[in-house]
Amino acid sequence: MGADVAMEGLRERATFMRESLQKSQEITDNMVSILGSFDHRLSALESAMRPTQVRTHAIRRAHENIDKTLKAAEVILAQFDLCRQAEFKIMKGPREDLSGFLEAVDQLRNNVNFFSSNKSFKNNDGVLNHANGLLAKAMQKLEEEFKQLLASYSKVVEPDRLFECLPNSLRPSTGSPGPHGDSGVRNAPIPNHAEQMKSTDATVHTLPTLIPPRIMPLLHDLVERMVQAGHQHQCIKIYRDSRATVLEQSLRKLGVEKLSKDEVQKLQWEVLEAKIGNWIHFMRIAVKILFAGERKVCDQIFEGMNNLKDQCFAEVTASSVAMLLSFGEAIAKSKRSPEKLFVLLDMYEVMRELQPEFEAIFEGKACTDMRDLAVSLTKRLAQTAHETFGDFVEAVEKDATKTTVQDGTVHPLTSYVINYVKFLFDYQSTLKQLFQEIDNGDESNSQLASVTNRIMTALQVNLDAKSKQYKDPALTQLFLMNNIHYMVKSVRKSEAKDLLGDDWVQRHRRVVQQHANQYKRITWNKIVQSLSVQGLTSSGGGSVAVADSGNSSGVSRSTVKERFKNFNIMFEELHLKQSQWTVPDSELRESLRLSVAEILLPAYRSFVKRFGPLIENGKNPMKYIRYTPENLEQILNEFFEGKTWNEPKR
């Protein structure tokens, strides 16, 4: 019963839900129908409004086109107006208002660019031709102004102004260069080589004002406009013609001259030496002051135009660099001679000193030729100096001058060579650099030692040959003793000792002693032999026994007299001759006299003591015993004094 009631209830609910769903479907269908009607009506409305929308859009676009056209016309009219304003300023020229003129040039260039990019404009070609014509006139006026400004403010730098840029230590004392390059530099106090190198190492050179600073920006602006217009070639030519001439005239007024190898060869050595000294000063002035100043001017005027800047600087300086370096080339190529070695080293030294600055100033591809010229000259000077070294050694070996020093003193060749070597050591660092450059980096100290040794050996060989010119073998030994002693003493007091070494000094001191010993043997052995007892035997009737000297018993008085007579003759001949000989070194002279006295005086004292009584007891003893040992010692002190024949005895 209960189950039936429940089923009935479910059936009613299911019936209700079905009816509800049917009603919802009907409502949905009705809504779809209504919405479809709306869509149809909206489509009809859109179709009806489309013609109106098209007309409105066309009107709006027409207005936009009119606005664009009006604006374009305004721009074109403004360009015409600016062009007329620029034309007025350009025709007026840059003299009164250069900045306004440059602004007009810039504006005109903008006009040309504008009309070039708007080719659809009806009269475009005519306008462009007119603007380009104006621009050409403007460039012509700019070139004239550039040339005029450079001519007005590019002045020859007087030598006095250049000297003021030098450090005090390098300034000449008085004078200014004459018309032939006789520069006041020559009147400067010349320090020795070491002092000069020390002073140039720490010096500061100031640059002269080549063009007033207020003019530099104007020149830069002119160059900038000319380059922008494609007139760089005209710009370079104007700048080169103006600045190159002034630079060359400044150098000529300083004293720089261009000499060929043949002209150099004809000059007297004193004149040439002075010119070389001046050239060394001129090189420093040119590189450190004039070329550096010219580079500074060029860099400022052509700022931002690197390629053009280097090219202009190269063309401005090319002639002056060639003129300066040609003198060095002429010297390096001229006939070699020993006296030129030091000036060659001076020239080489200044080129080495200036090389870093030269490379910095002459940077860039355009300056390659100038850098190469400087490097080439440095190498040629090194090579010529090296060859001159070899020539000097050979000349010392083969020196065949017939000059004979009659008194056996130091030969002029010896003092010349030793002084030469001393001067070389003032250039020690330079020589080491030179040897490294020539010999591809070999040990420079050993090279210098080797060269010095060769010079000394060559001198000794030559002295040996010259010593053979003496007929007196004693004078030969004295000559060699003097000269080798001079060499040894000079080496000991100079830097050559560090290179040649103590062994060289000691070895040659022994050579000096050997020649001294040879001199004593040749000169004094015979006279000392005359004082020996050998041969003093009795020969009959003239013999006398001496009571107080049993040793002289049976000695012939006549033989003793003959011995004293021979001694006097030999000693007086030696005194007459060898008092004219010279031992210039006081220590060596005293040492030689002492060594002679050490062998002569004891023998004479012994002979007089032993055989003197034979003579003293006879007739006229002073005729034979003329000297006491003290007399001999005094007379020995007159030896080697270089007395002349007509000079009285002491």
Side-chain angles (χ1 to χ4, degrees):
M1 179 92 179
D4 292 336
V5 173
M7 287 295 294
E8 186 63 29
L10 287 171
R11 214 178 277 113
E12 288 176 358
R13 287 194 194 96
T15 302
F16 177 76
M17 288 178 67
R18 188 166 43 253
E19 289 174 354
S20 295
L21 287 171
Q22 288 175 351
K23 287 180 181 179
S24 294
Q25 185 63 43
E26 288 175 3
I27 291 169
T28 299
D29 291 342
N30 289 336
M31 287 300 296
V32 168
S33 176
I34 292 169
L35 289 173
S37 173
F38 272 117
D39 183 56
H40 177 72
R41 290 174 185 173
L42 285 172
S43 298
L45 181 61
E46 183 180 0
S47 298
M49 290 182 66
R50 188 173 289 114
T52 303
Q53 289 174 341
V54 170
R55 285 195 298 274
T56 302
H57 182 66
I59 292 169
R60 186 165 58 250
R61 289 194 60 181
H63 280 293
E64 289 174 356
N65 288 336
I66 292 170
D67 288 340
K68 286 181 181 178
T69 302
L70 289 174
K71 286 179 181 177
E74 286 176 4
V75 171
I76 291 170
L77 290 172
Q79 290 293 326
F80 274 113
D81 186 48
L82 292 170
C83 191
R84 280 194 299 271
Q85 293 174 20
E87 182 176 6
F88 174 76
K89 291 180 180 179
I90 285 168
M91 298 308 294
K92 190 176 179 182
R95 192 58 47 84
E96 295 180 6
D97 181 14
L98 179 58
S99 59
F101 185 86
L102 294 176
E103 288 175 3
V105 170
D106 292 340
Q107 181 56 57
L108 194 57
R109 185 173 293 105
N110 290 336
N111 293 146
V112 170
N113 291 336
F114 174 80
F115 289 115
S116 296
S117 60
N118 289 277
K119 302 236 175 159
S120 59
F121 181 61
K122 187 174 181 181
N123 295 317
N124 189 64
D125 291 342
V127 173
L128 270 175
N129 290 338
H130 180 69
N132 282 323
L134 279 176
L135 200 55
K137 288 180 182 178
M139 287 303 107
Q140 186 177 357
K141 291 178 183 290
L142 276 183
E143 289 175 15
E144 291 172 0
E145 183 67 11
F146 186 55
K147 186 186 297 183
Q148 180 62 36
L149 281 174
L150 283 173
S152 299
Y153 293 101
S154 293
K155 303 296 182 185
V156 174
V157 185
E158 295 295 331
D160 286 344
R161 279 186 62 205
L162 291 173
F163 297 155
E164 288 171 3
C165 298
L166 292 170
N168 290 332
S169 60
L170 296 179
R171 290 183 187 179
S173 54
T174 57
S176 57
H180 303 293
D182 188 13
S183 170
V185 172
R186 195 179 302 172
N187 298 323
I190 300 175
N192 66 42
H193 178 80
E195 289 174 350
Q196 195 171 36
M197 286 309 298
K198 186 177 179 181
S199 67
T200 55
D201 284 344
T203 52
V204 176
H205 297 69
T206 56
L207 299 184
T209 301
L210 301 180
I211 294 177
R214 62 185 179 82
I215 303 300
M216 300 292 284
L218 300 179
L219 292 172
H220 173 266
D221 291 343
L222 288 171
V223 166
E224 194 172 46
R225 277 20 175 242
M226 291 168 67
V227 171
Q228 287 171 353
H231 287 233
Q232 55 264 30
H233 294 300
Q234 296 91 320
C235 177
I236 292 173
K237 183 179 184 304
I238 294 169
Y239 188 82
R240 178 196 63 216
D241 292 347
S242 176
R243 294 303 308 166
T245 302
V246 168
L247 178 61
E248 195 167 332
Q249 288 175 352
S250 297
L251 286 171
R252 288 191 182 279
K253 207 157 188 180
L254 180 64
V256 176
E257 53 188 332
K258 190 171 186 177
L259 294 177
S260 67
K261 181 179 75 172
D262 293 336
E263 289 172 323
V264 164
Q265 204 63 52
K266 292 175 184 176
L267 293 174
Q268 294 291 328
W269 168 241
E270 292 77 11
V271 176
L272 181 60
E273 187 178 25
K275 286 185 180 294
I276 292 171
N278 284 342
W279 179 85
I280 289 168
H281 287 289
F282 297 157
M283 278 299 299
R284 289 196 179 100
I285 290 172
V287 174
K288 293 175 177 285
I289 297 174
L290 279 173
F291 293 156
E294 202 63 54
R295 171 54 98 172
K296 182 179 177 182
V297 167
C298 199
D299 286 354
Q300 290 180 359
I301 292 176
F302 293 91
E303 185 180 0
M305 298 165 264
N306 290 339
N307 292 336
L308 198 61
K309 172 181 67 178
D310 291 342
Q311 186 179 351
C312 276
F313 178 72
E315 295 196 16
V316 165
T317 54
S319 175
S320 294
V321 169
M323 180 171 68
L324 261 176
L325 299 186
S326 67
F327 179 81
E329 286 285 345
I331 297 297
K333 292 178 182 177
S334 63
K335 186 178 178 181
R336 299 192 300 270
S337 60
E339 66 270 14
K340 284 184 183 176
L341 177 59
F342 298 107
V343 293
L344 285 167
L345 291 174
D346 285 334
M347 294 171 75
Y348 170 75
E349 206 165 60
V350 79
M351 292 301 297
R352 291 283 309 174
E353 172 200 327
L354 296 174
Q355 186 176 343
E357 288 167 278
F358 201 93
E359 290 181 354
I361 293 169
F362 291 89
E363 63 176 349
K365 186 177 179 181
C367 297
T368 301
D369 289 345
M370 267 81 83
R371 293 196 304 275
D372 290 347
L373 278 175
V375 170
S376 173
L377 175 57
T378 305
K379 289 182 177 179
R380 186 177 289 277
L381 288 168
Q383 186 63 42
T384 305
H386 193 265
E387 291 168 358
T388 304
F389 236 138
D391 293 346
F392 176 68
V393 175
E394 187 176 344
V396 172
E397 285 176 345
K398 297 181 179 179
D399 178 73
T401 54
K402 299 300 181 182
T403 304
T404 302
V405 285
Q406 300 297 331
D407 59 355
T409 189
V410 175
H411 196 280
L413 177 67
T414 305
S415 56
Y416 173 73
V417 171
I418 293 301
N419 285 334
Y420 203 91
V421 171
K422 286 180 180 177
F423 279 123
L424 284 177
F425 280 92
D426 284 342
Y427 294 85
Q428 194 167 167
S429 61
T430 304
L431 287 168
K432 289 177 181 178
Q433 179 65 50
L434 185 147
F435 288 135
Q436 283 182 341
E437 190 166 320
I438 295 295
D439 299 321
N440 299 320
D442 287 352
E443 180 57 44
S444 55
N445 267 341
S446 62
Q447 285 285 326
L448 188 55
S450 173
V451 169
T452 307
N453 215 351
R454 282 173 55 204
I455 292 173
M456 293 300 195
T457 302
L459 177 58
Q460 281 183 262
V461 169
N462 193 284
L463 289 172
D464 283 338
K466 282 181 169 35
S467 71
K468 292 178 174 58
Q469 296 174 0
Y470 296 105
K471 294 179 181 178
D472 189 331
L475 187 55
T476 295
Q477 298 302 321
L478 192 81
F479 170 79
L480 290 171
M481 178 195 74
N482 277 330
N483 282 269
I484 296 175
H485 178 268
Y486 182 83
M487 292 169 62
V488 172
K489 188 173 181 179
S490 300
V491 167
R492 286 178 63 196
K493 291 183 177 180
S494 73
E495 294 177 81
K497 181 184 177 184
D498 296 332
L499 284 179
L500 295 175
D502 287 329
D503 181 62
W504 186 95
V505 172
Q506 296 304 322
R507 190 168 67 251
H508 285 78
R509 287 179 72 176
R510 288 194 294 273
V511 173
V512 173
Q513 189 59 50
Q514 287 166 9
H515 288 301
N517 292 338
Q518 286 288 85
Y519 156 78
K520 288 187 292 183
R521 182 185 61 78
I522 294 168
T523 303
W524 298 100
N525 272 9
K526 186 176 180 181
I527 195 169
V528 170
Q529 282 294 324
S530 72
L531 299 174
S532 71
V533 296
Q534 292 179 2
L536 291 176
T537 58
S538 175
S539 58
S543 64
V544 175
V546 181
D548 61 346
S549 180
N551 290 336
S552 60
S553 170
V555 174
S556 167
R557 178 184 283 116
S558 62
T559 304
V560 171
K561 286 181 179 179
E562 190 66 27
R563 287 290 185 95
F564 273 111
K565 182 181 176 182
N566 288 339
F567 174 83
N568 293 335
I569 291 170
M570 285 190 291
F571 184 75
E572 286 165 7
E573 284 180 353
L574 286 176
H575 174 243
L576 183 64
K577 181 165 56 174
Q578 296 197 14
S579 62
Q580 297 178 77
W581 294 359
T582 301
V583 177
D585 184 80
S586 59
E587 289 184 11
L588 181 62
R589 184 170 61 247
E590 291 305 316
S591 172
L592 187 60
R593 286 171 179 167
L594 182 60
S595 65
V596 170
E598 285 175 350
I599 60 172
L600 178 65
L601 296 183
Y604 186 75
R605 283 193 185 97
S606 176
F607 193 82
V608 170
K609 182 178 180 181
R610 186 171 182 182
F611 301 108
L614 287 175
I615 307 301
E616 290 167 355
N617 293 334
K619 224 179 192 182
N620 199 7
M622 295 297 293
K623 179 181 178 182
Y624 301 100
I625 306 176
R626 293 183 183 177
Y627 306 103
T628 66
E630 290 72 27
N631 293 148
L632 288 182
E633 189 170 8
Q634 288 176 348
I635 294 170
L636 281 176
N637 287 333
E638 295 181 358
F639 276 58
F640 319 125
E641 288 287 348
K643 291 171 63 176
T644 56
W645 285 100
N646 58 358
E647 193 176 342
K649 293 183 181 179
R650 295 181 181 175

